[in-house]
Amino acid sequence: MPEEEILRQRLDKLGRLREEEGYDPYVHETWDVKHTLNQIRAEHDDIEVDQNRKDVELSVAGRLMTVRKQGKASFANVQDETGNMQLYFQLDAMGEEGYRFFKKWIDAGDIVGIEGHPFRTKRGELTIAVTRCVLLCKAIRPLPEKWHGLTDMEIRYRKRYLDLMSNPEVRDVFRQRAKIVASVRKTLEDHGTLEVDTPILSYLAGGANARPFVTHHNALDLDMYLRIATELHLKRLVVGMMGRVYEMGKNFRNEGMDAMHNPEFTAMEVYWPYCDYNDMMDLTEEIIRKAAMDANGTTTVTWQGTELDLSRPFRRVTMVDLVKEHCGVDFDAIETDAQARSIAEGEGLAVEGNESKFKVLLMMIEEFVEKKLVQPTFVMGHPTEISPLSKRDPEKPDYTHRFELFVCGSEVANGFSELNDPIDQRARFEDQARLKAEGDDESHPFDEDFINAIEQGLPPTGGLGIGIDRLIMFLTDSRSIRDVILFPTMKPKA
RNA sequence: GGACCGUUAGCUCAAUAGGCAGAGCACCUGACUCUUAAUCAGGGGGUUACAGGUUCGAUUCCUGUACGGUCCA
């Protein structure tokens, strides 16, 4: 049946309901919901077969998902946000008029208010024996198939409301998401960290190496950017003596989409003055462990068949040591860039042009190591060249006190001791500007006011960013980032 | 960006060595006072994603496009 035909039929029925009964299903504003369905299931589990507790008055509301109409007695299943329950409609209990109205006008997909008593059928199912059924809202589009649910991934993402109503387990993922987010906030706040809001719309998109989305402010006649990170604003707050601060919110990066990337995603960034990257690694572990406990009640996680043990300390190992371990190459012994390039080529890596040895080190990590980091692993010691905001390792100034956390081959967190030497910071930005001039559109922009801020004096500070969507993916065993974002970015269909 | 796969009724899926496009759910009519994927009887519902090509004939074969999925970069 064409969709318009279904709509036409339902609109026709709606018209007849208004005409013949003088009943408008869209005028209702409230229903006194006294019980949720799960609550009833828990409280009246002791009712025996064939027993009807007429002394108990129930009042619930929800969407009818299946309807089994018979002559003078019918059944249906109603769903609310906690679960679903069978309803028993019986002429004798509802009265002639109430039963007739139900049978003639109420259909699967409609929203109803129900009053009745708990009882258990001969087949043993806890059921509400309906005394009153009020049509609170009429649906004029059909439900997805009741047995298989909605399986078409495209429709599930584009019309999430259909996915949520017909696949209850999807709602559980987003409940877990809320628990994880709350848990992260609680952990941070337990450590005296203040939640703040910094601009999403900004005239400079810094704090990470990524291409921003560009928009335009008409009144100012100014191109503006959606933020790619919160870092530079949060560190200004530390300069301003706000102490420990964090922000959890959306970042936007103008890049490809796949199972791990959505153009808009949720990140949490936190900055603690007088702490370093080791403290941030400790904090990362604490946040993740507590989130797992709060969401799942355990620190053992299975993601797509791989068991992850979050209870043990996460391994901490430098990039140089990882390349030594996985490729047998000692970068500390490499003198020149050319030497590094030829070694990488010997390992089968296509190195083009004049990559520095530090860029080659990064490429080797990405190519040969990252995928193998299944259990949570802090990769440390990133080259200064690729870390324009990180403090140098005083022992090895070409490297920084930085880490990234990898889980199942994916980056979940990134943190470092913050660079607070304003002279060095200016030089790093100048390097980035040079890269930009050479055509690198992911180079970090030069932010003069940020330099001014740290010229005022940024205390020694540890900073950390966590990819919240990815963390949620691992804790909810979700294959794609789209499964943990309610309305993922989709290309328009037509 | 590349490779592969998918797109048939609102939903879940069939079908043809190239020959009238089918089922279940949902929808409409009727029967039924313990059903639960209710059942029974009847009915309506299709530009087979879109655009071309080959052919007497294309949903099926070919080319392209769109959207989606999986893997790779």
Side-chain angles (χ1 to χ4, degrees), chain A residues 64-69 74-77 102 106-109 146:
Chain A
L64 292 182
M65 299 305 288
T66 59
V67 179
R68 299 176 287 285
K69 289 182 184 173
S74 301
F75 291 87
N77 276 77
F102 159 75
I106 296 180
D107 301 293
K146 65 183 173 189

Side-chain angles (χ1 to χ4, degrees), chain A residues 168-283:
Chain A
E169 67 281 4
V170 175
R171 294 191 297 226
D172 291 335
V173 169
F174 291 99
R175 292 198 177 94
Q176 267 177 295
R177 181 179 174 115
K179 282 185 190 168
I180 291 162
V181 165
S183 172
V184 171
R185 283 206 165 89
K186 178 160 194 312
T187 302
L188 291 165
E189 280 159 22
D190 286 349
H191 283 287
T193 316
L194 184 76
E195 181 168 20
V196 297
D197 288 293
T198 65
I200 289 173
L201 187 63
S202 182
Y203 58 88
L204 257 184
N209 293 78
R211 292 171 62 187
F213 284 92
V214 188
T215 184
H216 191 78
H217 190 298
N218 289 336
L220 297 180
D221 188 21
L222 180 69
D223 278 341
M224 298 191 79
Y225 304 93
L226 300 184
R227 72 182 176 197
I228 57 174
T230 45
E231 171 147 357
L232 300 189
H233 282 106
L234 292 175
K235 284 198 276 198
R236 282 174 171 93
L237 297 179
V238 178
V239 170
M241 306 311 282
M242 291 287 282
R244 295 179 172 193
V245 292
Y246 80 95
E247 177 163 8
M248 184 151 31
K250 291 282 180 74
N251 288 343
F252 306 83
R253 295 188 183 177
N254 206 338
E255 52 197 27
M257 293 152 62
D258 61 31
M260 284 289 167
H261 299 84
N262 196 63
E264 81 178 281
F265 61 99
T266 301
M268 188 287 297
E269 283 189 45
V270 53
Y271 293 84
W272 281 2
Y274 317 111
C275 295
D276 70 0
Y277 75 130
N278 288 305
D279 299 312
M280 290 298 110
M281 285 189 276
D282 293 344
L283 177 61

